[in-house]
C-alpha cells in the first residue's frame, strides 16, 4: 500500500469559504467552486498558490459542481436565484484568466447542480428540482431530457445530483432521493435513459469512473461506497466503523495507483469517539474492496478530491487544500 504524504495550503476568502466541488482545469491547475459568502471560483496551482475569482450574485445563487469544458474554459452549475441574468438556475463559464459568462436555462427553478463534459463536445448537467438531465453546447444551446416521475417519494422526482462520463461513453448520475427510487441513472448522448436501483437505505452522493472499467459512487446513507458495472450490476463496500459514526463519504476519485481514494465529512448524529471513522480522514479502496483510512494533518480532507496531471491528488477542506503524493 503506498504511503500518502500531505502538504496543506490555506484557502483565501472569508472565515468560512466553503469550497464545494473541484476539477482539473485545461491549464493543469485545480479549480474549485466556493458556495460561501462571497461566492466565487478558485484556482490552485501545482505549487499550492491559490487565486480566487468572485462571481456576481449572492449565496442564493451558489455554484455547485464544476468541470473542464471542450473549449478550454471551466463550466459549472449555479442553482438558487441565478446570477447576472436573474434566472433561477444558470450554467456558468469561466475562462482560465477569470472572465465570467453565463447561460440561463429555459425553465426557472430547476436547480442545476451536477455537470460533466460529454464525449460529444457538449456539457451535460443535472437539474435537481426540475428532474431533468440537460445538455448545453459551448455556444450556449440547451436541450433538456425529462426523467421519469417516481411514486411514493417527496415531490415525485428523482433529484439527480453528481454526473460523470462512464467507460461506455454514456453519462452516469446519482439520484439523491432518500427512499423508494432508483439510485443510479444513465443517459446516452442520444438521450436514452436507464435507471438502476440500490439496496434499501443507500443514498448515493457522488460518482466517478474507476480504473477498472466500472463506475464508483459515494453514499451518504448506506455502507459508504459502491460500484456499478456498465451493465448495471451493483456491489456495495463497507467503510469499517462508518455506520457507528456520524460521518459519511463525501467525494471520491480514481488515484494514480489503480485504487479509489475518498474523503470523509461529518454526517448526522453525535460524535462517537470510539468509532474508527471521523471527519477529515482520507480513505483508499482497492478495486477488490480492501479499505484503508489515513489521517491527514490539520482539519484534514472533508471535501472534493481530484487527481492532477502529475499524479498528485488534491483534496479540499473548509479552510485548506491538501496535496497528496504517494510514496
Amino acid at each position: 500500500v503506498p504511503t500518502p504524504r500531505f502538504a496543506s495550503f490555506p484557502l483565501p476568502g472569508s472565515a468560512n469559504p466553503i469550497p464545494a466541488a473541484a476539477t482539473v482545469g485545461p491549464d493543469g491547475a485545480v479549480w474549485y467552486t466556493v458556495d460561501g459568502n462571497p461566492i466565487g471560483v478558485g484556482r490552485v496551482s501545482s505549487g499550492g498558490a491559490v487565486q480566487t475569482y468572485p462571481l456576481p450574485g449572492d449565496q442564493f445563487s451558489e455554484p455547485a459542481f464544476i468541470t473542464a469544458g471542450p473549449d478550454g474554459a471551466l463550466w459549472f452549475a449555479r442553482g438558487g436565484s441565478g446570477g447576472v441574468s436573474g434566472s433561477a438556475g444558470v450554467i456558468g463559464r469561466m475562462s482560465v484568466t477569470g472572465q465570467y459568462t453565463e447561460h440561463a436555462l429555459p425553465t426557472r427553478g430547476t436547480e442545476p447542480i451536477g455537470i460533466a463534459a460529454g464525449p460529444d463536445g457538449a456539457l451535460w448537467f443535472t437539474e435537481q428540482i426540475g428532474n431533468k438531465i440537460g445538455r448545453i453546447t459551448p455556444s450556449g444551446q440547451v436541450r433538456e431530457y425529462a426523467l421519469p416521475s417516481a411514486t411514493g417519494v417527496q415531490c415525485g422526482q428523482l433529484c439527480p445530483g453528481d454526473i460523470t462520463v462512464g467507460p461506455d461513453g454514456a453519462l452516469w448520475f446519482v439520484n439523491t432521493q432518500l427512499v423508494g427510487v432508483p439510485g443510479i441513472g444513465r443517459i446516452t448522448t442520444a438521450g436514452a435513459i436507464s435507471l438502476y436501483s440500490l439496496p434499501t437505505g443507500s443514498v448515493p452522493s457522488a460518482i466517478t469512473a474507476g480504473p477498472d472499467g466500472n463506475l464508483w459512487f459515494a453514499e451518504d446513507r448506506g455502507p459508504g461506497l459502491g460500484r456499478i458495472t456498465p451493465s448495471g450490476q451493483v456491489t456495495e463496500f463497507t467503510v469499517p466503523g462508518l455506520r457507528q459514526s456520524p460521518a459519511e463519504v463525501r467525494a471520491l476519485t480514481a488515484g494514480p495507483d489503480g485504487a479509489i481514494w475518498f474523503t470523509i465529512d461529518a454526517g448526522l448524529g453525535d460524535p462517537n469517539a470510539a468509532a474508527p471513522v471521523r471527519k477529515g480522514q482520507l480513505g483508499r479502496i482497492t478495486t477488490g474492496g480492501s479499505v484503508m483510512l489515513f489521517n491527514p494533518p490539520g482539519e484534514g480532507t472533508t471535501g472534493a478530491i481530484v487527481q492532477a496531471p502529475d499524479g498528485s491528488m488534491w483534496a479540499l477542506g473548509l479552510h485548506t487544500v491538501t496535496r497528496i503524493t504517494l510514496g
Side-chain angles (χ1 to χ4, degrees):
V1 176
T3 302
R5 297 187 295 266
F6 304 102
S8 294
F9 306 90
L11 295 176
S14 65
N16 191 8
I18 315 182
T23 192
V24 175
D27 57 352
V30 174
W31 290 75
Y32 65 97
T33 53
V34 181
D35 65 4
N37 189 12
I39 57 174
V41 174
R43 178 187 185 273
V44 186
S45 73
S46 59
V50 183
Q51 185 175 5
T52 57
Y53 301 94
L55 290 174
D58 54 28
Q59 67 268 33
F60 300 107
S61 58
E62 70 275 8
F65 286 93
I66 184 171
T67 191
D71 58 346
L74 287 306
W75 290 73
F76 48 94
R78 295 186 69 181
S81 57
V84 173
S85 67
S87 171
V90 300
I91 302 299
R93 177 189 183 275
M94 181 167 285
S95 71
V96 293
T97 57
Q99 296 173 310
Y100 174 70
T101 54
E102 65 179 32
H103 302 278
L105 298 183
T107 307
R108 296 180 61 87
T110 59
E111 195 75 24
I113 181 169
I115 191 167
D120 57 347
L123 290 305
W124 289 76
F125 58 94
T126 60
E127 298 180 32
Q128 194 168 55
I129 302 301
N131 204 40
K132 299 175 183 177
I133 304 298
R135 177 185 185 273
I136 183 170
T137 66
S139 62
Q141 295 178 311
V142 176
R143 182 174 181 180
E144 297 171 306
Y145 300 88
L147 293 174
S149 59
T151 60
V153 297
Q154 184 181 9
C155 305
Q157 59 189 27
L158 301 181
C159 294
D162 191 16
I163 187 170
T164 193
V165 178
D168 56 351
L171 288 301
W172 290 75
F173 55 94
V174 297
N175 297 310
T176 59
Q177 268 286 13
L178 292 179
V179 290
V181 297
I184 305 293
R186 175 185 183 270
I187 183 170
T188 68
T189 54
I193 296 169
S194 304
L195 299 173
Y196 304 94
S197 295
L198 297 182
T200 301
S202 298
V203 180
S205 56
I207 189 167
T208 193
D212 56 350
N214 299 309
L215 287 302
W216 287 74
F217 55 92
E219 297 174 325
D220 61 12
R221 302 286 191 283
L225 294 163
R227 179 185 67 206
I228 183 169
T229 67
S231 62
Q233 295 178 312
V234 174
T235 305
E236 289 185 304
F237 301 93
T238 297
V239 177
L242 189 70
R243 286 181 164 175
Q244 289 75 49
S245 170
E248 62 189 37
V249 178
R250 170 68 168 79
L252 71 177
T253 189
D257 58 341
I260 303 294
W261 292 76
F262 58 93
T263 61
I264 295 176
D265 200 0
L268 298 175
D270 297 323
N272 180 359
V277 180
R278 63 172 179 81
K279 172 184 175 181
Q281 285 182 311
L282 178 71
R284 176 184 185 267
I285 182 170
T286 67
T287 54
S290 178
V291 177
M292 287 193 69
L293 297 175
F294 304 91
N295 297 306
E299 69 176 4
T301 55
T302 57
I305 181 170
V306 296
Q307 182 187 167
D310 63 359
S312 63
M313 294 178 288
W314 292 78
L316 294 166
L318 279 180
H319 306 95
T320 58
V321 58
T322 299
R323 184 175 189 262
I324 305 154
T325 54
L326 303 182

